[in-house]
Amino acid sequence: MSSNQKLYEGKAKILYSTEDPEILLTYFKDDATAFNAQKRGKIVGKGQMNCKISSLIFKLLEANGIPTHFIDCPEVDKMRVRRVKILPIEVIIRNIAAGSLCRQTGLTEGTVLKFPLVEYCYKNDSLQDPLLTRDRLLIMELATPEQLEQIRTFALKINDILTDFFNQCQITLVDFKIEFGLDGENNLILADEISPDSCRLWDKSQTDPNLRVMDKDRFRRDLGNVESAYQQVLERILAQTS
Ligand code: TMP
Ligand code: ASP
C-alpha cells in the first residue's frame, strides 16, 4: 500500500496509510459534531489538544498493562497507531448518571452509580448507534463471548486507572466511551481516542452543573468556553504526568 493515502474519514479524525502496512497515521481534526452530526462546529485547537491528551492517556494505560494502538506523535495533531480492525462497538463505562442514561432511565444527573456500568452501543450512524444487549451483540456476531468478556475486563480496568488518575487532576471521570480493535493475531487492543470528546469530565472544584463541565458537553449544550475547558484538561494532565 502506498503511503499518505486517505483510508477513512470520520467526524473528528482522518486515517492515512504510511509506508509501513502495519502502521496508520491518525489526523485529529478541529471539527466537532453532536447528536449524530446534526450539530456541527469547530473547536479551535481541539485536534492538537485531543491528540496530546489521548497520547498521554494511552501511555498511562500502556504503563498499567492495557495494550493500545498508540505508537507516537510525529506532529502535534497526528498520531501513529498500530493497524487494527475496529470492532463496531462503542463501549461506554459510567460512574455517575449523565446523558443518555438519564434520558433513558429517569435517573437524576449526578447520581453516583452503585457500581461502574458497562454498556455497549452498535457503532452505526445510520441506526444512530443504538444501545445493544449482550445477546443482540452476540447474535449480530459483533464479538465472540470470549472477546466480550475481555472487553468488559479491560473496560473496568481502564475505568479504575483513569478514575484514579483524573482524581489526582481534581477531575471526576463521570463516563467515557472507548473502542477496541483486533490486530493480525486477533489480539484485542484499545484503539480510537480518549479525550474530552469521548469522556464526561467534571471539575471537582465546581458544583454548578454548567460550570463543572470540562468536556464536549460544553459544545453539545452551548455552554461556551469550550476551548479553554479542553486546554484546562490538558494542562492538568500534563501537570500530573511530567
Ligand atoms: P451518552 O450519555 O450520550 O450515551 O454518552 C456517554 C459517553 O460516551 C460520554 O462520555 C460521551 C461519549 N460519547 C462518545 O464518545 N461518542 C458518541 O457518539 C456519544 C453519543 C457519546
Ligand atoms: N460524536 C457524536 C456525533 O456527532 C455524538 C456526540 O459525541 O455527542 O455524532
Side-chain angles (χ1 to χ4, degrees), residues 210-223:
N210 291 343
L211 290 178
R212 69 188 173 190
V213 175
M214 302 181 81
D215 56 73
K216 196 167 139 189
D217 271 350
R218 297 207 76 81
F219 169 78
R220 294 189 189 99
R221 290 160 49 188
D222 293 319
L223 297 178

Side-chain angles (χ1 to χ4, degrees), residues 90 92 94 98-101 129 175-177 197-200 220:
E90 301 202 335
I92 296 169
R94 302 178 189 269
S100 67
L101 180 64
D129 299 344
D175 58 32
F176 61 103
K177 184 267 299 178
D197 268 16
S198 61
C199 303
R200 281 198 177 90
R220 294 189 189 99

Side-chain angles (χ1 to χ4, degrees), residues 156-175:
L156 290 170
K157 186 168 175 196
I158 292 165
N159 185 47
D160 283 346
I161 299 164
L162 294 186
T163 296
D164 194 44
F165 176 72
F166 278 115
N167 277 337
Q168 292 167 35
C169 302
Q170 299 306 312
I171 292 172
T172 302
L173 178 61
V174 174
D175 58 32

Side-chain angles (χ1 to χ4, degrees), residues 62-112:
E62 284 276 354
N64 284 278
I66 303 290
T68 81
H69 71 161
F70 174 76
I71 300 174
D72 59 15
C73 294
E75 290 173 53
V76 283
D77 52 6
K78 295 193 181 68
M79 185 186 286
R80 294 198 313 143
V81 299
R82 289 154 64 194
R83 186 191 196 97
V84 294
K85 195 166 160 289
I86 297 284
L87 299 175
I89 305 170
E90 301 202 335
V91 182
I92 296 169
I93 302 92
R94 302 178 189 269
N95 299 303
I96 295 178
S100 67
L101 180 64
C102 296
R103 284 199 304 278
Q104 293 170 6
T105 64
L107 278 169
T108 307
E109 185 182 74
T111 306
V112 177

